[in-house]
Amino acid sequence: METLQENVQIQVRFITQQRKYAVTDSVILVPISLRRYGLSEIINHLLGFEKPIPFDFLIDNQFLRTSLSEYIQNANLSTENILTIKYVESLLPPTPLSTFQHYDWISSVKSHDQSLFLTGSYDNHVRIFNTSGECLKTFAGHQAPIKSVSWISVSDENVTFLSASQDQTIRAWEASLIDDKYLTLYECKGHKGNVESISLHPSHTKFASASWDSSILFWTTAIPEESEQEILEISSKRRKLNDRETKVKTPIAKMHGHVGPVSSVAFDINDHGKMYSGGWDHSVRIWDIESTTNFNTKNCDKSVLNIAYSEKSGLIASGHSDQVIRLWDPRAKGTLIFYSELLDLLIISII
Amino acid sequence: MPSDIENSDLSVEKKSGWKMISEDNEIDELNSQEGKIQEQYVIGANGYPREILPEIDPIYDSDTSIEDSINTVGNIPMEWYNDYPHIGYNIDGKMILKPAKGDELDKFLDSMEDPDTWMSVKDNSLQKNVRLTDEELEIIRRIQLGEFPDPNYDPYEPTVEWFTSKPEVMPLSAAPEPKRRFVPSKWEAKRIMKLVHAIRQGRIVPGKSQVQKPRFYNLWSDNDKPREDHVMNLQAPKMKLPENDESYNPPEEYLPNEQEKIEWENMDPDDREKNYLPKKYPSLRTVPAYDRFIQERFSRCLDLYMSPRIRRNKLNIDPESLIPKLPNPKDLQPFPTSLTLSYDGHTSRVRKLSIDPMGLWMISGSDDKTVRMWEITTGRCVKIWEFKEIIHSVAWCSDKDLCAFAVSCLNKVIVISPMDFSDAKTVDSTVKFATLGFANIEQNEKKVKLVEWQKPTEDEKSQGFLVVLVHLHNKTIKDINWHRRGDYFSTIASDAGNQSILIHQLSKHQTQQPFRKTHGLVQNVMFHPIKPLFFVATQKFVRIYNLMRQELIKTLQSGVKWISSLDVHPMGDNIIIGSYDKRLCWFDLDLSSKPYKTLRYHTKAIRNVTFHKHLPIFASCSDEGFIHVFHGMVYNDLLQNPLIVPVKVLKGGHKVVEGLGILHCEFHPTQPWIISSGADHSLKLWT
């Protein structure tokens, strides 16, 4: 393989979407041997800032991690052509402050005011941690791995939260932060498959849950006076034992629409009447909460494994089985507005 | 020769003269030196001034070659100058006049007076006598005596032995004599055989008298015999036949109009499309003699002998055009393209995997004597069942309303329900469905018992065991296949003779032996997805039986040596088989009993072939560790053959361990995903 000479220069054009760092879009000759640092120096020189800012560079939506010459050689590009390089401000990866030691896989994490962390784990336990990494509380009750957790309310003394599990139930918990007491407020039964995701309505009075049985159930957070559901014919003895203690709650509404498992639900924080859900049937569905109808469906080619709603931009991000994150605008007619190809594994969670 | 000496003398004189001049100059004023030098120019032969340069004093012994003779005419016969007063020109282009020549009497007198006459010769170019030097006289003397002219030449110098005449003790090359020096030459033998062949055929006649051919022969005679047929004889191409417009009376439409005529005239003869203009004559009588006859004959002869004729054995076909036009794989999406997840945990090769009908869970059976249940999207192992023997096969019950799977372990088949992973109603109905048959055990006592349906122990029950089927033939169960309804399932134990295929009914706990005798080793069986048909793959054939009428419907001849796996298209009219001799055959049951397509893409034995339940894709996995994914479109139109397009090779997931790569692969029931299990103890998800 022929190697490119190191003193060769190449014409490049720098572009950016960060307007404050925009430089002239004229073509610049740069030595081919430059790496990220060298290119960053050029941009800093062009910007003329007092304090140099590190930049990262993308060619064809791929981060440049080698020298330009290696990139050109690997991509079989010509040094004669103009190379368009996109740059963004380089951000340092987050540094871990403290670790929350678990015995098994963690499936879900929710924080409250960045002081309390609720985690659901595959060892069937829900835990509360503080910022220094101490496990304040451990909650046992589920018979299968926890798949999703969600805070309901946090006060100085008491916390209430929800946890969804693969044992097809959702439990609401109340715990005191002062002493060791905790209790299960109620157990939500109604799903016929793993409960994959729960999402609390912004009003904190309702919540929705998505399950592998292709349904989305709607619940209130009010504590029932007594068990709402007649006890099913249960085969497992262990379940019967548990059922004696806790009150059982039934859903207030059922939303069917997805074909196949529903992987995620999210409420619209700006518009309290809307809810979004994503499923394995390649669709992101928009639901009207009042009428519990699916009034819009956005389809793509790959299964949706998780969705999240952004309060600021009003967009939905969805994680997919093809290692891509897609962004959707729920207000627009069109579907997809952006997708990234940076990840290597199934995207199972977006927060 | 005497001129040499004179010349050298002259040069010395000249040099000394010049030196004297320069000395004079030094004595005189220094300033006038430039003027003196200027004076040393003379008019040369070409009329331009020529500088007189100082004579070169060669350090080496002067040689004749560098000395210029006075006469510059060269080596020409001097008689040419007989009529002229001069004999040539000197370097300045001036005539050299003939020296005064006396008559014969003067010559005689000179020779009498001069004692050196005997040692002088006539210099032809100068036309006068010159005296020979002593050295030259010596040379002449030696030649006369028959000696070497050079007195210093020693003819008896000791010889230098460039090539020694003595044999060396050690040879320069110690290579042994090559074999070719002792065996008769192969190529000579071939050449001789060619000649012998030619003699036998009569092409070469030994001792044939050479018939004298006539020196001239009639080139244009009509009685030419056609040439004998010979490989090397190529017929000359035929001349083009005249066309309609060459007729003396062509139809009107062929006749050119005035403008076309002018155009034709103005065109360069080489550019003309035709070298004639169609012309009409009222009658054949008026047709003039063909004016271009000679020209045309000449160009024909040129064509015949100027262009070599060769026989082309190679067809000039673009290889690209031979490849069938297939659609672009990008247009045939979705299909799995990349490795996404790895399910690690097994400690030995994973022989079989099965995905539940909903596509949420997967079970895998391994040589480490465990069955593991996995969550497909996360790669989490949620449950492990341990057994006493190697797990050969696992299979989910195909009924979506039931939640159970069967595991084969030695001669046992165990039906297990993973209770914690389904809702209570389903589990309950599954348990009822599977254990209902214990009630009618007594009824079956009369028949020959093939299988004992046992109740699991309490300990086993807590793990979800529903029924244990102990096969009384005591052979290892290699494979389990469920009927689409989830009630019947078949087991294969290829060593068990006529009991190698058994069909069990889970709800009634009944076992049937469908075949009295089996043809060959059973490799795989399959239920038809729609009709009551049953596919049995032995080593070389696939037989299709009708279970209702209990008869053989068709025998498919695969043409492979050893079938490894079989799968039926969800529509039921097409099947694919994989073989240990690297082939994948697609059978269209409506078409023929021979394969519609045989694909050889793998470099090692194919372990499994599988169809997707909904999408038009199928895949094959092999020992080389690759999965080949194909687009296999089956059309409802009976006239249209299935379309098979290779779309993707999934590489780089599994390592080859002890010559085994991927042992099993299965498509996800709803998504375009494929999960493979390998000998490297892992399972991989490709999306």
Side-chain angles (χ1 to χ4, degrees):
Chain A
M1 198 171 162
E2 61 170 316
T3 49
L4 290 168
Q5 286 175 349
E6 287 301 306
N7 53 7
V8 175
Q9 292 199 321
I10 186 167
Q11 292 179 305
V12 296
R13 175 180 286 133
F14 290 106
I15 54 166
T16 187
Q17 285 177 337
Q18 291 173 302
R19 266 183 216 152
K20 54 180 174 173
Y21 298 132
V23 294
T24 168
D25 66 341
S26 58
V27 175
I28 302 167
L29 265 179
V30 298
I32 203 163
S33 58
L34 282 189
R35 294 177 156 268
R36 187 206 67 81
Y37 182 71
L39 291 170
S40 187
E41 276 184 328
I42 290 174
I43 297 292
N44 275 308
H45 179 75
L46 290 172
L47 290 169
F49 285 152
E50 282 175 16
K51 202 180 161 197
I53 300 160
F55 288 101
D56 251 325
F57 296 86
L58 294 114
I59 308 175
D60 284 340
N61 282 332
Q62 297 250 318
F63 274 106
L64 182 73
R65 291 286 177 250
T66 58
S67 70
L68 274 177
S69 66
E70 278 172 61
Y71 177 83
I72 285 165
Q73 217 162 22
N74 292 341
N76 265 336
L77 295 177
S78 164
T79 50
E80 313 272 312
N81 297 339
I82 297 170
L83 196 66
T84 306
I85 302 180
K86 203 167 156 182
Y87 62 94
V88 290
E89 189 182 352
S90 180
L91 296 172
L92 283 174
T95 47
L97 289 174
S98 57
T99 49
F100 304 136
Q101 207 60 48
H102 284 71
Y103 298 106
D104 212 331
W105 295 11
I106 302 159
S107 57
S108 177
V109 181
K110 287 273 155 64
S111 78
H112 183 268
D113 286 344
Q114 305 206 340
S115 60
L116 288 175
F117 296 92
L118 188 64
T119 66
S121 166
Y122 267 82
D123 61 359
N124 309 356
H125 293 326
V126 184
R127 291 185 180 83
I128 294 179
F129 289 86
N130 62 11
T131 41
S132 55
E134 286 172 72
C135 180
L136 297 179
K137 277 193 185 307
T138 305
F139 304 92
H142 280 292
Q143 269 98 51
I146 315 292
K147 293 296 283 190
S148 184
V149 287
S150 178
W151 291 106
I152 300 174
S153 67
V154 180
S155 64
D156 290 341
E157 291 169 8
N158 278 323
V159 288
T160 49
F161 60 89
L162 295 162
S163 67
S165 162
Q166 280 190 346
D167 63 7
Q168 305 163 5
T169 61
I170 303 156
R171 273 171 184 255
W173 307 81
E174 187 177 36
S176 146
L177 289 175
I178 302 156
D179 51 18
D180 282 346
K181 280 181 189 168
Y182 72 87
L183 72 150
T184 308
L185 294 175
Y186 47 87
E187 191 176 9
C188 306
K189 289 198 171 178
H191 278 299
K192 288 175 184 164
N194 288 358
V195 188
E196 281 291 294
S197 168
I198 42 175
S199 178
L200 193 71
H201 191 263
S203 69
H204 290 229
T205 54
K206 286 178 271 186
F207 67 94
S209 63
S211 162
W212 275 0
D213 62 4
S214 74
S215 67
I216 300 165
L217 297 189
F218 225 51
W219 318 75
T220 56
T221 52
I223 302 159
E225 292 297 314
E226 55 190 50
S227 287
E228 293 172 357
Q229 194 185 24
E230 60 272 34
I231 291 166
L232 285 165
E233 311 147 60
I234 306 288
S235 57
S236 165
K237 283 179 184 172
R238 273 184 294 163
R239 285 190 186 186
K240 270 185 185 168
L241 285 173
N242 282 318
D243 283 333
R244 279 178 206 152
E245 300 159 8
T246 51
K247 291 160 188 166
V248 175
K249 195 176 178 67
T250 48
I252 51 165
K254 216 169 198 181
M255 296 194 230
H256 281 294
H258 277 287
V259 184
V262 190
S263 53
S264 187
V265 280
F267 280 102
D268 194 323
I269 298 159
N270 300 327
D271 179 358
H272 289 189
K274 268 189 198 168
M275 188 181 76
Y276 309 106
S277 70
W280 285 28
D281 56 351
H282 308 177
S283 67
V284 172
R285 285 167 198 260
I286 305 173
W287 304 83
D288 183 61
I289 295 171
E290 289 303 314
S291 57
T292 66
T293 48
N294 172 21
F295 66 88
N296 199 351
T297 305
K298 293 170 187 297
N299 285 309
C300 66
D301 296 340
K302 302 288 171 191
S303 318
V304 183
L305 297 178
N306 205 315
I307 60 166
Y309 179 78
S310 161
E311 191 179 351
K312 279 182 189 166
S313 61
L315 299 178
I316 314 169
S318 60
H320 295 262
S321 60
D322 58 345
Q323 300 149 17
V324 163
I325 296 171
R326 288 176 172 81
L327 283 181
W328 311 78
D329 192 346
R331 297 153 292 195
K333 283 258 175 184
T335 53
L336 186 66
I337 56 170
F338 169 78
Y339 73 95
S340 70
E341 275 184 62
L342 297 170
L343 300 144
D344 292 338
L345 282 172
L346 282 182
I347 294 156
I348 313 233
S349 184
I350 302 170
I351 292 170
Chain B
M1 292 295 165
S3 63
D4 292 344
I5 301 118
E6 275 192 8
N7 282 348
S8 60
D9 288 348
L10 268 170
S11 65
V12 170
E13 273 177 21
K14 269 183 186 172
K15 208 195 276 176
S16 58
W18 181 80
K19 270 183 183 166
M20 281 170 72
I21 290 167
S22 62
E23 275 164 17
D24 289 346
N25 284 347
E26 278 168 15
I27 294 159
D28 293 348
E29 300 160 284
L30 280 166
N31 290 347
S32 69
Q33 201 171 4
E34 287 171 16
K36 281 280 176 185
I37 290 165
Q38 276 178 356
E39 277 173 17
Q40 302 202 3
Y41 285 94
V42 287
I43 301 299
N46 52 5
Y48 293 105
R50 185 170 73 86
E51 192 184 355
I52 298 172
L53 292 171
E55 202 62 38
I56 299 162
D57 179 23
I59 312 293
Y60 49 84
D61 294 332
S62 65
D63 191 17
T64 50
S65 62
I66 57 160
E67 284 180 23
D68 48 353
S69 57
I70 294 161
N71 196 356
T72 59
V73 288
N75 189 16
I76 56 160
M78 289 315 287
E79 302 91 77
W80 292 357
Y81 283 96
N82 278 354
D83 298 342
Y84 298 99
H86 63 283
I87 51 164
Y89 308 90
N90 67 5
I91 194 163
D92 295 329
K94 300 271 166 55
M95 284 177 187
I96 301 170
L97 294 176
K98 277 179 186 166
K101 226 179 7 178
D103 51 8
E104 290 301 314
L105 188 63
D106 289 334
K107 269 187 195 166
F108 175 71
L109 288 175
D110 281 348
S111 62
M112 284 298 112
E113 284 167 11
D114 191 356
D116 298 339
T117 318
W118 66 272
M119 56 169 96
S120 64
V121 289
K122 191 185 177 190
D123 185 348
N124 204 25
S125 66
L126 291 176
Q127 296 284 316
K128 65 178 182 186
N129 287 341
V130 286
R131 187 186 174 276
L132 296 175
T133 57
D134 289 346
E135 291 86 12
E136 284 160 345
L137 286 173
E138 178 63 16
I139 288 167
I140 291 167
R141 191 188 63 80
R142 290 180 74 92
I143 290 171
Q144 278 173 340
L145 286 173
E147 291 173 2
F148 291 102
D150 186 359
N152 298 325
Y153 179 67
D154 178 11
Y156 304 112
E157 275 183 72
T159 53
V160 179
E161 284 206 336
W162 299 111
F163 299 100
T164 176
S165 55
K166 289 170 206 151
E168 297 269 341
V169 178
M170 292 296 290
L172 287 173
S173 161
E177 286 279 281
K179 187 186 173 188
R180 61 175 178 274
R181 303 220 178 124
F182 305 103
V183 292
S185 161
K186 179 188 172 188
W187 305 109
E188 271 175 19
K190 279 200 163 184
R191 177 91 194 128
I192 289 165
M193 278 321 293
K194 215 171 185 178
L195 292 172
V196 169
H197 188 66
I199 291 167
R200 281 193 188 141
Q201 277 204 326
R203 276 191 275 122
I204 300 175
V205 182
K208 186 185 168 190
S209 60
Q210 287 285 315
V211 182
Q212 203 72 58
K213 280 183 183 166
R215 199 176 159 205
F216 305 107
Y217 58 95
N218 187 359
L219 181 65
W220 306 108
S221 71
D222 286 337
N223 52 12
D224 266 356
K225 267 188 244 167
R227 261 217 185 158
E228 275 178 51
D229 199 25
H230 188 265
V231 242
M232 299 310 289
N233 178 27
L234 294 169
Q235 288 290 327
K238 285 190 174 121
M239 276 193 83
K240 226 175 106 186
L241 290 171
E243 290 174 23
N244 283 352
D245 54 358
E246 279 177 90
S247 159
Y248 79 95
N249 188 16
E252 285 296 324
E253 63 263 28
Y254 289 112
L255 291 173
N257 56 27
E258 284 304 314
Q259 198 193 340
E260 281 170 346
K261 263 185 203 170
I262 293 162
E263 261 179 33
W264 189 85
E265 297 285 350
N266 292 339
M267 222 189 275
D268 191 68
D270 289 342
D271 296 341
R272 287 170 186 166
E273 204 178 323
K274 284 173 177 173
N275 57 0
Y276 58 87
L277 268 183
K279 213 168 179 186
K280 189 165 184 163
Y281 299 98
S283 70
L284 202 53
R285 239 178 334 113
T286 54
V287 177
Y290 186 36
D291 55 343
R292 302 182 64 257
F293 178 74
I294 303 282
Q295 211 178 341
E296 202 181 87
R297 284 290 98 192
F298 177 70
S299 61
R300 169 71 177 165
C301 289
L302 274 186
D303 282 351
L304 287 182
Y305 88 89
M306 292 292 277
S307 59
R309 289 189 287 280
I310 44 167
R311 193 183 294 276
R312 280 188 192 279
N313 285 329
K314 199 175 151 192
L315 290 172
N316 207 0
I317 297 173
D318 180 20
E320 286 294 314
S321 68
L322 295 174
I323 299 169
K325 294 267 174 298
L326 288 177
N328 191 350
K330 274 184 186 167
D331 306 336
L332 302 174
Q333 275 175 344
F335 51 81
T337 51
S338 56
L339 175 64
T340 317
L341 265 184
S342 180
Y343 305 86
D344 298 320
H346 278 296
T347 53
S348 188
R349 57 179 73 131
V350 189
R351 281 186 190 267
K352 196 80 192 274
L353 70 98
S354 182
I355 303 171
D356 86 312
M358 295 294 287
L360 303 170
W361 306 105
M362 170 180 72
I363 46 165
S364 60
S366 160
D367 277 11
D368 61 6
K369 300 172 187 173
T370 59
V371 170
R372 283 167 196 253
M373 183 162 164
W374 310 84
E375 193 182 358
I376 286 176
T377 43
T378 54
R380 165 89 188 180
C381 175
V382 291
K383 205 166 162 88
I384 303 173
W385 289 270
E386 284 180 3
F387 293 89
K388 292 190 182 90
E389 290 299 327
I390 286 172
I391 310 300
H392 271 98
S393 183
V394 288
W396 274 98
C397 174
S398 39
D399 190 350
K400 281 185 182 178
D401 298 332
L402 299 178
C403 177
F405 58 87
V407 174
S408 85
C409 174
L410 211 66
N411 68 335
K412 284 183 198 163
V413 171
I414 304 127
V415 180
I416 301 173
S417 175
M419 305 210 176
D420 303 340
F421 301 96
S422 186
D423 68 316
K425 238 180 188 172
T426 313
V427 171
D428 223 41
S429 60
T430 309
V431 173
K432 268 187 187 161
F433 182 78
T435 52
L436 209 65
F438 286 123
N440 26 337
I441 264 184
E442 285 77 27
Q443 297 171 5
N444 302 333
E445 288 283 334
K446 288 168 195 168
K447 284 185 189 172
V448 182
K449 249 187 154 182
L450 301 165
V451 167
E452 212 170 307
W453 294 71
Q454 291 179 347
K455 282 185 183 173
T457 61
E458 279 303 313
D459 187 32
E460 286 172 337
K461 252 185 194 171
S462 65
Q463 287 187 53
F465 286 32
L466 300 177
V467 193
V468 179
L469 286 86
V470 180
H471 287 64
L472 296 175
H473 55 57
N474 270 335
K475 299 285 190 301
T476 311
I477 311 288
K478 290 278 164 63
D479 205 3
I480 306 169
N481 274 292
W482 285 86
H483 184 254
R484 69 177 188 286
R485 292 249 178 82
D487 190 6
Y488 293 92
F489 64 95
S490 66
T491 54
I492 311 167
S494 28
D495 315 330
N498 62 356
Q499 288 183 28
S500 54
I501 305 170
L502 294 176
I503 297 179
H504 312 276
Q505 191 180 5
L506 183 62
S507 60
K508 289 183 178 167
H509 286 204
Q510 280 179 346
T511 301
Q512 293 169 26
Q513 183 187 347
F515 307 109
R516 289 269 162 68
K517 62 170 189 180
T518 48
H519 310 267
L521 284 176
V522 179
Q523 295 299 312
N524 213 331
V525 297
M526 204 84 191
F527 286 98
H528 192 281
I530 303 156
K531 294 174 197 161
L533 301 180
F534 193 58
F535 298 86
V536 178
T538 53
Q539 277 182 21
K540 288 183 184 173
F541 303 103
V542 179
R543 292 186 176 80
I544 307 168
Y545 298 93
N546 190 324
L547 290 174
M548 297 278 274
R549 281 184 280 164
Q550 301 192 334
E551 63 182 12
L552 175 70
I553 292 181
K554 211 172 194 178
T555 304
L556 303 177
Q557 285 150 356
S558 65
V560 301
K561 283 179 189 140
W562 196 313
I563 295 174
S564 64
S565 53
L566 160 86
D567 199 13
V568 185
H569 190 268
M571 303 283 285
D573 286 337
N574 296 275
I575 68 167
I576 47 172
I577 58 162
S579 80
Y580 288 119
D581 51 341
K582 306 165 198 171
R583 268 160 255 247
L584 187 151
C585 303
W586 176 294
F587 290 93
D588 191 336
L589 299 185
D590 300 332
L591 222 58
S592 96
S593 62
K594 298 263 166 56
Y596 159 62
K597 281 272 158 67
T598 300
L599 311 172
R600 257 197 73 177
Y601 286 101
H602 286 288
T603 54
K604 284 190 175 166
I606 294 179
R607 287 278 160 186
N608 192 41
V609 288
T610 179
F611 274 111
H612 196 281
K613 290 257 171 16
H614 306 294
L615 300 166
I617 44 179
F618 66 98
S620 62
C621 64
S622 90
D623 275 349
E624 80 218 344
F626 298 162
I627 304 172
H628 282 257
V629 183
F630 300 88
H631 176 87
M633 189 68 184
V634 175
Y635 300 96
N636 284 329
D637 180 10
L638 286 174
L639 295 173
Q640 210 166 355
N641 285 331
L643 173 75
I644 299 169
V645 186
V647 287
K648 183 78 190 171
V649 185
L650 302 172
K651 296 182 189 180
H654 288 282
K655 284 185 211 107
V656 178
V657 179
E658 294 163 7
L660 294 174
I662 301 177
L663 299 175
H664 195 81
C665 62
E666 195 168 314
F667 277 108
H668 192 275
T670 53
Q671 304 292 332
W673 302 346
I674 190 166
I675 302 180
S676 58
S677 73
D680 59 349
H681 312 173
S682 74
L683 296 111
K684 310 270 181 198
L685 169 68
W686 310 79
T687 62

